[in-house]
Amino acid sequence: MSVPVWPALQEAAARVEELVSALPQPGSRLPAQRTELDAAKNAARTLRTSFLDAHADAVYDHLTAGRTQGLRIAELLEAAAAEYPALVPTAGQLAADRARRQADKEGHEVDQGIFLRAVLGAPQAGSHLLDTMLAPTPRALDLLPQFLRTGVVETESVRLERRDGAAYLTMCRDDCLNAEDDQQVDDMETVVDLALLDPQVKVGVLRGGTMTHPRYRGRRVFSAGINLKSLHAGDISLVGFLLRRELGYIHKLVRGVRSEDAPWYARTIEKPWVAAVETFAIGGGTQLLLAFDHVLAASDAYLSLPAAREGIVPGAGNFRLGRHTGPRIARQVILQGRRIRATEPDARLLVDEVVEPEEVDAALARAVDRLGGPAVVPNRRMLNLAEEPVDAFRRYMSEFALQQALRLYGEDVIDKVGRFAEKV
């Protein structure tokens, strides 16, 4: 490229790699070595940001053949690494980091965050990427014939069953109270795609399964949020978990799945969604509820978003929560870790219906029946357009891509997840 900053960026990126090659592994570096490397990384990142601020659309258009090809986030980053190796980490760099604990990684995902902030922040490129992420996954398309025939799909972490025109998605990671990791995100996007693509399904239902965990044995649990043990081990990725979760299956819960079988007047197939919260919805569990059309809670359940206490950003929770609760309660929940119990008056800002635990099944059936009418989908589409404009979501996710990447490598986060892992 002929732009003046590009040669300087290439030189700065090479300097970082030269230092990394010469230094010990991250966990064995002396303070002076860490300081020198951090300075080199920051110099490269400053140039990287400057270059992308000016050329994100041009880079994206080159990688997608003028936006004629749809590349999901992981594919886009892979293509960028091949074409512009100074912009994002290579496959080899990522593979080396993947084998390490979070505390021992080089932090290459920060550079992915810089790239994705620029792409999502560019109106044309960002809009195209959001639209690409609404396409069904290859895994879902492979499983679709089986699901259409049998009405059942079992994945490692989610069970999908079609009954009487409704798709029941049951999160069944009973070993970790449905704490989410990369595998669960992949499974969730797969089953959400299947539920949306099946013409026999009119309504989707999400519920936690029955646990074998000693403390909650025999009880249903909705979600314990992000799997902190996996984060400590280095198994929670920016792209495969934190961004794919928001731009993949949760985005599809709101906007639907892009399909050639969509009606001529819409680009996606949308359906209404019901969530049933039993025991608790912590962190990502509460984030999920903000995308649902009807939320049902057992009277002994509670909701929380302890992301600030954990040191991370709660997905699109900051974007959506205040719309439901108002700014004061949103700050109490996100910044101060307030729990909201289902029986509190403020819970009605987040939950549509509270019933006794033994009445959840009957209440779910009533909710599914109410949301099965033909006018529900067009009205939810108009509500979502008014409440969550796509362009506002794109701008939020642009900044989230970088801020969450930075938080993944914050010393406070690494310390907290390390102490958590020691307890379990």
Side-chain angles (χ1 to χ4, degrees):
M1 286 207 170
S2 59
V3 273
V5 74
W6 182 248
L9 172 56
Q10 289 178 305
E11 183 178 339
R15 173 60 178 159
V16 171
E17 285 312 297
E18 178 185 318
L19 284 172
V20 168
S21 299
L23 291 174
Q25 293 297 308
S28 303
R29 289 169 189 162
L30 298 173
Q33 293 172 325
R34 290 198 295 268
T35 298
E36 182 183 15
L37 181 57
D38 285 345
K41 287 181 177 178
N42 288 335
R45 286 166 179 166
T46 298
L47 291 166
R48 193 169 286 123
T49 299
S50 177
F51 176 81
L52 285 166
D53 282 347
H55 302 288
D57 267 324
V59 169
Y60 185 84
D61 281 358
H62 176 72
L63 296 174
T64 60
R67 285 174 276 130
T68 62
Q69 298 175 5
L71 298 178
R72 289 173 63 87
I73 289 176
E75 297 168 331
L76 180 68
L77 287 165
E78 183 179 351
E83 293 289 323
Y84 305 100
L87 283 184
V88 295
T90 65
Q93 290 170 327
L94 292 171
D97 250 7
R98 199 172 297 121
R100 298 170 176 152
R101 298 182 313 150
Q102 193 68 19
D104 297 329
K105 292 179 184 288
E106 291 289 355
H108 294 302
E109 288 173 303
V110 173
D111 300 300
Q112 292 181 320
I114 292 170
F115 178 82
L116 291 171
R117 180 176 70 166
V119 168
L120 287 165
Q124 292 185 337
S127 297
H128 187 267
L129 179 56
L130 286 184
D131 189 61
T132 297
M133 292 299 291
L134 291 178
T137 66
R139 183 186 180 198
L141 293 175
D142 286 344
L143 289 171
L144 184 59
Q146 172 192 332
F147 181 60
L148 293 176
R149 185 176 67 256
T150 67
V152 176
V153 164
E154 298 268 5
T155 70
E156 183 176 328
S157 57
V158 189
R159 185 177 195 273
L160 172 63
E161 182 181 6
R162 182 183 62 240
R163 299 197 308 269
D164 300 322
Y168 291 85
L169 287 62
T170 304
M171 296 179 287
C172 52
R173 289 290 296 276
D174 57 343
D175 58 323
C176 60
L177 304 177
N178 287 326
E180 287 188 281
D181 55 15
D182 283 30
Q183 180 63 54
Q184 186 154 337
V185 167
D186 184 47
D187 291 345
M188 281 293 293
E189 184 165 15
T190 299
V191 297
V192 166
D193 282 348
L194 292 172
L196 288 168
L197 291 170
D198 184 352
Q200 298 180 65
V201 169
K202 304 303 179 188
V203 181
V205 177
L206 181 64
R207 191 178 188 182
T210 303
M211 299 292 107
T212 59
H213 187 285
R215 190 172 175 184
Y216 299 95
R217 192 181 305 278
R219 298 178 62 185
R220 287 182 181 266
V221 169
F222 189 73
S223 174
I226 190 171
N227 191 316
L228 295 177
K229 185 177 179 181
S230 294
L231 178 54
H232 168 72
D235 295 332
I236 295 291
S237 64
L238 176 70
V239 172
F241 180 92
L242 294 161
L243 288 171
R244 180 178 176 183
R245 183 176 186 273
E246 301 299 331
L247 300 180
Y249 83 86
I250 299 180
H251 191 202
K252 289 172 178 176
L253 291 174
V254 177
R255 303 288 177 194
V257 66
R258 190 157 52 82
S259 171
E260 294 179 355
D261 294 327
W264 63 266
Y265 50 81
R267 300 196 68 239
T268 61
I269 299 173
E270 293 184 42
K271 290 169 187 178
W273 290 89
V274 180
V277 181
E278 291 152 292
T279 310
F280 51 70
I282 297 174
T286 293
Q287 294 169 34
L288 265 176
L289 303 180
L290 304 176
F292 277 73
D293 301 292
H294 186 86
V295 177
L296 170 71
S299 59
D300 58 353
Y302 69 85
L303 316 177
S304 70
L305 270 175
R309 190 177 70 216
E310 294 164 353
I312 58 176
V313 180
N318 308 63
F319 179 65
R320 296 185 174 118
L321 183 63
R323 186 179 77 222
H324 291 261
T325 65
R328 295 267 54 89
I329 293 176
R331 279 166 171 75
Q332 292 166 19
V333 171
I334 292 174
L335 302 182
Q336 302 176 50
R338 176 186 170 186
R339 287 184 178 183
I340 297 183
R341 300 197 173 276
T343 51
E344 291 181 42
D346 285 345
R348 297 313 298 268
L349 300 171
L350 294 165
V351 173
D352 299 285
E353 189 177 359
V354 179
V355 299
E356 294 305 310
E358 64 272 14
E359 297 173 4
V360 171
D361 288 341
L364 266 179
R366 293 192 298 268
V368 168
D369 184 62
R370 287 195 302 270
L371 290 175
V376 169
V377 169
N379 276 288
R380 84 180 291 273
R381 179 177 295 131
M382 300 310 294
L383 284 167
N384 285 332
L385 283 172
E387 295 172 354
E388 187 175 303
V390 178
D391 207 45
F393 177 67
R394 175 187 60 78
R395 292 194 301 271
Y396 176 89
M397 291 307 304
S398 166
E399 190 61 26
F400 172 81
L402 179 57
Q403 294 304 320
Q404 191 72 299
L406 291 168
R407 286 283 75 216
L408 278 179
Y409 295 94
E411 290 184 9
D412 57 318
V413 173
I414 290 170
D415 179 62
K416 287 170 186 175
V417 299
R419 284 188 276 112
F420 175 85
E422 290 173 359
K423 294 178 183 177
V424 297

